[in-house]
Amino acid sequence: QVQLVESGGGLVQAGGSLRLSCAASGRTFSNYGMGWFRQAPGKEREFVATISGIGGRTTYADSVKGRFTISRDNAKNTLFLQMNNLKPEDTAVYSCARSRFSGSLSTYREANWYDYWGQGTQVTVSS
C-alpha cells in the first residue's frame, strides 16, 4: 500500500509563493510518475503538473506554466510543487498522486492514470 501526505499549504497574498511537499511511502517511488492536482469548491478536480517516472520529463497545465515547478527528490521519497506569483484563482485543495505505471518516460495529465492519492493541503490566495 502506498501512502502520500501533502504539506506546505497555507494563506498567502496574491503574488506570493508557496512550496508544497508530498511525502511518499514505498520503495518504488523513484520509478513512478507523480502528479499534482487541485480542486476548488464547486469545481471538478483539475490537472496541475506531472513528472515522469524516469527521465525527469515535466508537463504543466496552461494556467500555471511559468509560475509553478514540479520536482522530486527520489532519495527522500518526496515530491515538490514550487508555486510562484500566486493568483486568487489558484485557491484550492492541492493533492499529490502516484501514477499507475513505473519506469516510463511518459507524463500523464488525466486523473484516471493515477491510483494513489494524498488527502490534500489547502492553498488560499487572497487579493
Side-chain angles (χ1 to χ4, degrees):
Q1 188 178 78
V2 175
Q3 290 185 312
L4 304 172
V5 181
E6 302 93 339
S7 62
L11 175 65
V12 65
Q13 290 282 335
S17 298
L18 286 172
R19 189 177 79 154
L20 306 184
S21 298
C22 172
S25 65
R27 295 183 298 277
T28 60
F29 171 82
S30 63
N31 297 117
Y32 283 84
M34 300 290 296
W36 287 98
F37 293 78
R38 67 187 183 186
Q39 187 169 23
K43 299 184 66 177
E44 296 293 319
R45 179 184 289 117
E46 65 175 336
F47 165 78
V48 176
T50 186
I51 185 167
S52 62
I54 59 174
R57 297 182 178 183
T58 59
T59 302
Y60 298 91
D62 289 342
S63 60
V64 306
K65 284 182 179 177
R67 300 189 297 120
F68 291 10
T69 302
I70 187 171
S71 62
R72 64 196 301 164
D73 185 339
N74 290 335
K76 297 181 179 180
N77 284 344
T78 305
L79 178 74
F80 302 99
L81 184 68
Q82 178 66 46
M83 305 185 294
N84 297 327
N85 192 25
L86 284 161
K87 304 175 180 180
E89 51 263 45
D90 295 319
T91 296
V93 174
Y94 285 71
S95 300
C96 66
R98 192 199 76 173
S99 75
R100 298 179 181 272
F101 309 104
S102 65
S104 176
L105 290 167
S106 299
T107 56
Y108 307 99
R109 288 176 170 266
E110 301 299 323
N112 288 341
W113 292 107
Y114 295 82
D115 56 358
Y116 290 97
W117 296 77
Q119 293 189 348
T121 185
Q122 176 71 48
V123 172
T124 302
V125 184
S126 64
S127 59

